[in-house]
Amino acid sequence: MHGMVVLTLTAAVPQLRPPVAEQSGQPLGPSGAHLAILFLSLGLLVLGAGGVRPCSLPFGVDQFDRSTEQGRRGLNSFFNWYYSISTAATVVAMTAVVYIQDSVSWPLGFGIPTALMLLAIILFFAGIRLYVFVPPDGSVFSGVLQALVAAFRKRKLRLPAPNDAVEQETLLYSNHARKSTVVTKLPLTLQFRFLNKAAIVCEGDMKEDGRSADPWKLCSVQQIEEVKCLMRIAPIWASGIICFVALTQQWTLAALQSMKMDRHLGPSFQIPPGSLGTICLMAIVLFIPLYDQILVPMATSITGVEGGITLLQRQGAGMAIAIMSMVVAGLVEKKRRDSALAHGGADGTSPLSAMWLAPQLCLMGVAEAFNAVGQVEFYNRQFPEHMQTLAGSLFHCSLAGASYLSSFLIAFVRKSTGGPGGASWLDDDINVGRVDYYYYLIAALGVGNLLYFMVCAHLYRYKGTPELEDVCKDIKAVF
């Protein structure tokens, strides 16, 4: 809120804007004070987003009673509607708000989001007595380090036999000491079995009241299994980064393609190149309610799985559709390039309508609806309950990782395909380059990533699953 107020003031107060030359009417360069205030507003916005984005989703999850059928059904829909509504807000921000800023008034364009933020704060505090508050339960990272250190210190000890329940009960520390009532009690598993040594009780490890005397030497089975949850999630998280690379490239390259196409809708209106990406967002906004209200009940009646398909199947389906989107993008780009070279004017513009880009953008929106929402729900359900704010952050780390990987991939392709005297696939002149080849390259990376994901999904064990249950057999049915 403070960041938006300061940003609005920089647009509304003349003294906070760079001065304008009297004779030419051109703005002069900003002073150090002007830049300082602008950076202050942006810094406050970053701090606010860092606090709200990772916490809003797990806070919403806490409002559902997962011990009841109604609560579980509501939670299944919550993730879909959360992503759909937040995407709809992005569409409004990129269209209506941007139009007001460009065509009406910058102070008004910044003032409207500021007023909406104030309204959101008022509504939040108005319902504060109705919310369910789950108290914090210790440090997020200290328990992870304690389990790793304790397992290393006891690495030479012998573990109980896997099939000897009596020996496991006698030798392993199984105290479930979490304060929160919503924490799932996790059974002991054999995956990453070396960590189980952290729960072996030695002489002097326990106090008289049954608690651990030193958490850096003795950890509970619950604490160890929570660390295993994080270790199982890490490979799945890595696969999501490459999936988002396709989404990142679509936004950038589709805008460049549209600049060399006919962007007219009707005789006078031209679609701004930067607004073409809203087709992808609109596909998300329209598809998620359809998926939640129609496709999920249909799938549930067939599979018997709560939510229609499993969380890993949903992510895998998104990856497969993203590959399809890149293939379609490559085919459309070849058609656009051939048309531009054959019929283009002096600026190399193709007579093809920019709406030829809509199918690939719609496919990418559907892919994001599957994979992104699947990732969000997967992290929030599979992370230990007291680490759900970290789960929310992990999704945004996937987006950031995809952006960095995209930048590296662009630099690599430009350097490796632009030989002496030749044009690279990503030449500054899009008609000279071969963007279609670049799309096919991303599709090939997506295929490799999908195969990697299938292996990870096959080996993944859902949180709280008994040791002998084959929890990954359903992932094979998707592919």
Side-chain angles (χ1 to χ4, degrees):
M1 177 66 186
H2 291 86
M4 284 304 305
V5 170
V6 177
L7 191 61
T8 303
L9 290 176
T10 61
V13 179
Q15 290 78 7
L16 298 181
R17 300 196 303 268
V20 177
E22 296 182 1
Q23 296 181 350
S24 64
Q26 296 296 321
L28 302 176
S31 65
H34 292 137
L35 292 175
I37 295 174
L38 178 62
F39 291 153
L40 173 64
S41 66
L42 297 178
L44 291 173
L45 286 173
V46 169
L47 290 175
V52 172
R53 290 187 180 183
C55 299
S56 60
L57 187 60
F59 181 77
V61 170
D62 290 340
Q63 309 310 304
F64 295 90
D65 185 359
R66 280 161 278 184
S67 64
T68 66
E69 181 67 24
Q70 183 180 3
R72 288 192 294 270
R73 285 201 306 268
L75 185 59
N76 288 334
S77 293
F78 171 72
F79 291 102
N80 291 322
W81 286 103
Y82 177 92
Y83 203 88
S84 179
I85 292 173
S86 61
T87 304
T90 303
V91 172
V92 174
M94 293 181 61
T95 53
V97 175
V98 171
Y99 174 80
I100 292 172
Q101 291 171 345
D102 285 341
S103 304
V104 182
S105 167
W106 279 95
L108 181 61
F110 284 130
I112 291 175
T114 304
L116 292 175
M117 181 65 71
L118 177 61
L119 177 61
I121 293 173
I122 294 173
L123 292 176
F124 176 79
F125 283 102
I128 200 166
R129 295 186 178 181
L130 304 176
Y131 301 140
V132 174
F133 292 96
V134 177
D137 194 9
S139 171
V140 172
F141 300 106
S142 63
V144 175
L145 293 176
Q146 287 169 358
L148 295 175
V149 170
F152 178 79
R153 296 173 73 171
K154 295 183 176 180
R155 62 190 182 279
K156 296 182 180 180
L157 298 182
R158 184 188 67 85
L159 281 168
N163 57 350
D164 192 336
V166 176
E167 188 179 16
Q168 288 187 11
E169 182 70 23
T170 304
L171 296 182
L172 299 183
Y173 178 54
S174 59
N175 182 29
H176 182 237
R178 294 292 180 198
K179 301 175 185 177
S180 175
T181 57
V182 299
V183 172
T184 304
K185 187 173 182 179
L186 304 177
L188 182 69
T189 62
L190 299 182
Q191 199 174 32
F192 307 118
R193 192 164 177 256
F194 65 93
L195 287 175
N196 295 353
K197 294 184 178 183
I200 297 177
V201 180
C202 299
E203 185 178 354
D205 281 349
M206 295 179 61
K207 298 180 181 178
E208 294 182 358
D209 59 3
R211 292 184 300 169
S212 173
D214 184 357
W216 297 93
K217 292 181 64 177
L218 179 65
C219 300
S220 67
V221 170
Q222 175 75 16
Q223 189 175 345
I224 292 168
E225 290 301 320
E226 289 174 351
V227 176
K228 291 182 182 180
C229 286
L230 303 183
M231 296 176 67
R232 295 185 188 112
I233 288 171
I236 302 292
W237 170 76
S239 67
I241 295 177
I242 297 202
C243 182
F244 282 132
V245 168
L247 175 65
T248 303
Q249 296 304 310
Q250 285 275 28
W251 275 84
T252 305
L253 295 177
L256 294 176
Q257 289 173 278
S258 68
M259 295 174 68
K260 296 293 186 178
M261 302 176 76
D262 181 9
R263 292 181 281 111
H264 284 90
L265 285 181
S268 57
F269 179 74
Q270 242 187 347
I271 305 173
S275 298
L276 206 67
T278 56
I279 295 176
C280 177
L281 298 179
M282 287 302 301
I284 297 173
V285 173
L286 296 176
F287 177 76
I288 289 180
L290 174 68
Y291 174 82
D292 184 76
Q293 298 298 311
I294 299 178
L295 297 183
V296 168
M298 291 175 56
T300 301
S301 64
I302 297 172
T303 64
V305 176
E306 187 178 22
I309 55 178
T310 67
L311 300 178
L312 291 175
Q313 287 174 335
R314 183 168 186 174
Q315 292 182 62
M319 292 178 184
I321 297 173
I323 295 170
M324 293 171 53
S325 172
M326 300 312 296
V327 173
V328 171
L331 296 174
V332 171
E333 167 57 18
K334 185 179 187 305
K335 184 176 182 63
R336 184 213 64 80
R337 183 176 182 273
D338 291 344
S339 174
L341 294 177
H343 305 98
D347 59 350
T349 300
S350 166
L352 284 178
S353 170
M355 287 297 100
W356 274 84
L357 302 175
Q360 67 197 55
L361 293 172
C362 288
L363 279 174
M364 186 53 63
V366 174
E368 185 176 350
F370 272 105
N371 188 269
V373 181
Q375 281 195 56
V376 170
E377 186 172 359
F378 176 77
Y379 299 145
N380 278 271
R381 288 183 180 272
Q382 295 301 301
F383 259 70
E385 283 79 359
H386 67 289
M387 296 184 184
Q388 285 189 342
T389 53
L390 181 62
S393 302
L394 201 62
F395 173 72
H396 295 288
C397 290
S398 297
L399 296 175
S403 296
Y404 285 119
L405 184 57
S406 296
S407 299
F408 169 78
L409 190 60
I410 289 173
F412 175 78
V413 169
R414 287 177 69 95
K415 183 177 181 180
S416 59
T417 60
S424 74
W425 293 355
L426 299 177
D427 192 88
D428 292 337
D429 186 346
I430 194 173
N431 290 334
V432 174
R434 295 307 302 257
V435 176
D436 51 337
Y437 292 170
Y438 184 63
Y439 280 138
Y440 295 143
L441 173 63
I442 297 178
L445 291 175
V447 171
N449 184 56
L450 180 59
L451 295 175
Y452 162 78
F453 173 80
M454 291 172 62
V455 173
C456 294
H458 180 73
L459 299 175
Y460 186 80
R461 184 177 303 281
Y462 283 92
K463 183 176 72 174
T465 303
E467 184 66 40
L468 297 180
E469 183 179 351
D470 184 9
V471 297
C472 296
K473 61 183 178 181
D474 53 358
I475 194 67
K476 301 176 184 177
V478 179
F479 310 105

